[in-house]
Amino acid sequence: MKFFLDTADLDEIKEAASWGAIAGVTTNPSLYMRVGGTLDGFHDHIKRICELVDGPVSAETVATDREGIIREGRELADLAPNVVVKVPTMVEGLAATRALTDQGVRVNMTLCFTVPQAILAARAGARYVSPFIGRFDDISEDGLEQVGNIIAALGNYDFTGCSVGDEGVEVIAASIRSANHVAQAALMGCDIATVPFNVLKKCVEHPLTDRGLERFLADWEKVKNA
Ligand code: G3P
């Protein structure tokens, strides 16, 4: 499983990229708003993220009609070669995804919650589909179960002819709230987990690691003083 960082915060991206284990970034309008983003600064901000990350960077469209999504998607795709255009899973989004894919633009279909949505996204050419775990849990459903269902269903078929350059489709577990979400997604064979920076840190940490390190360092002091 690959790790993407789910943020628009440049400092978080720089820091996580320096750890050497991040393969991409996903953003959305809410994440951009949270870093004080402005309308005029949006394209420059995406460009800066693309320079910081050696991998796909998802930037989301906000139009709700297909022509608008296609226009915004093309503008975003022209910003950098590693831009992936994020498009909501809905009728206009499917049509725009097919059009963008046919023009060689990679699409991440987001706000995906069900198996039929995921299959339609893949058939429309999506390079990535992003089922949301946490938001499903928020309405007392089982987000992880849905991700597992989507992985299993997509695995039943061959989507290589659908997407840009016959690359097929990858599942991005999104709306991740805990290290356990990451672990369970990995056990299901999910291709990618996109994680907020605080969850990424929790994925690295463990109290027994801290305790073990403390003991090793204390014993090393004894070695030095022997
Ligand atoms: O990138 C979209 C998704 O990860 C959002 O997560 O926590 O706002 O539900 P969340």
Side-chain angles (χ1 to χ4, degrees):
M1 187 177 71
K2 285 173 275 190
F3 276 87
F4 286 4
L5 197 64
D6 196 27
T7 186
D9 186 311
L10 298 176
D11 290 332
E12 288 181 351
I13 294 166
K14 271 183 224 159
E15 175 62 19
S18 78
W19 299 357
I22 295 301
V25 167
T26 52
T27 67
N28 63 38
S30 305
L31 293 170
Y32 182 59
M33 183 269 296
R34 267 185 236 157
V35 295
T38 62
L39 200 54
D40 287 349
F42 180 52
H43 284 181
D44 278 344
H45 196 82
I46 295 298
K47 273 196 217 173
R48 290 187 67 190
I49 296 175
C50 288
E51 286 161 9
L52 293 173
V53 183
D54 186 17
V57 172
S58 289
E60 191 155 341
T61 56
V62 289
T64 51
D65 65 294
R66 70 188 71 179
E67 292 311 323
I69 297 170
I70 295 166
R71 188 180 58 253
E72 286 180 14
R74 285 231 53 96
E75 287 169 5
L76 291 168
D78 285 344
L79 296 176
N82 52 336
V83 165
V84 170
V85 176
K86 218 170 171 188
V87 173
T89 309
M90 56 182 187
V91 169
E92 296 298 294
L94 285 174
T97 294
R98 173 44 63 204
L100 286 165
T101 298
D102 288 347
Q103 294 169 37
V105 175
R106 289 178 179 80
V107 173
N108 171 2
M109 288 216 86
T110 187
L111 292 166
C112 177
F113 291 91
T114 68
V115 168
Q117 283 181 317
I119 292 175
L120 286 166
R123 286 284 169 223
R127 175 69 184 84
Y128 305 97
V129 291
S130 292
F132 279 30
I133 298 174
R135 292 196 196 180
F136 225 147
D137 291 352
D138 289 344
I139 60 160
S140 303
E141 296 285 342
D142 187 339
L144 280 167
E145 187 184 11
Q146 276 304 329
V147 172
N149 290 341
I150 285 169
I151 293 167
L154 292 179
N156 287 336
Y157 308 101
D158 181 6
F159 293 99
T160 47
C162 299
S163 61
V164 174
D166 286 351
E167 288 172 336
V169 62
E170 286 187 292
V171 176
I172 304 179
S175 187
I176 280 184
R177 307 274 169 81
S178 67
N180 184 52
H181 277 165
V182 175
Q184 298 307 319
L187 288 167
M188 290 168 182
C190 197
D191 301 296
I192 298 153
T194 189
V195 294
F197 188 63
N198 67 319
V199 175
L200 183 68
K201 280 197 290 187
K202 286 200 168 74
C203 288
V204 180
E205 294 161 359
H206 194 277
L208 288 178
T209 306
D210 296 342
R211 207 185 303 168
L213 181 61
E214 260 174 47
R215 190 178 304 168
F216 286 155
L217 294 180
D219 288 344
W220 192 246
E221 283 305 309
K222 290 176 197 157
V223 169
K224 276 163 59 183
N225 298 324

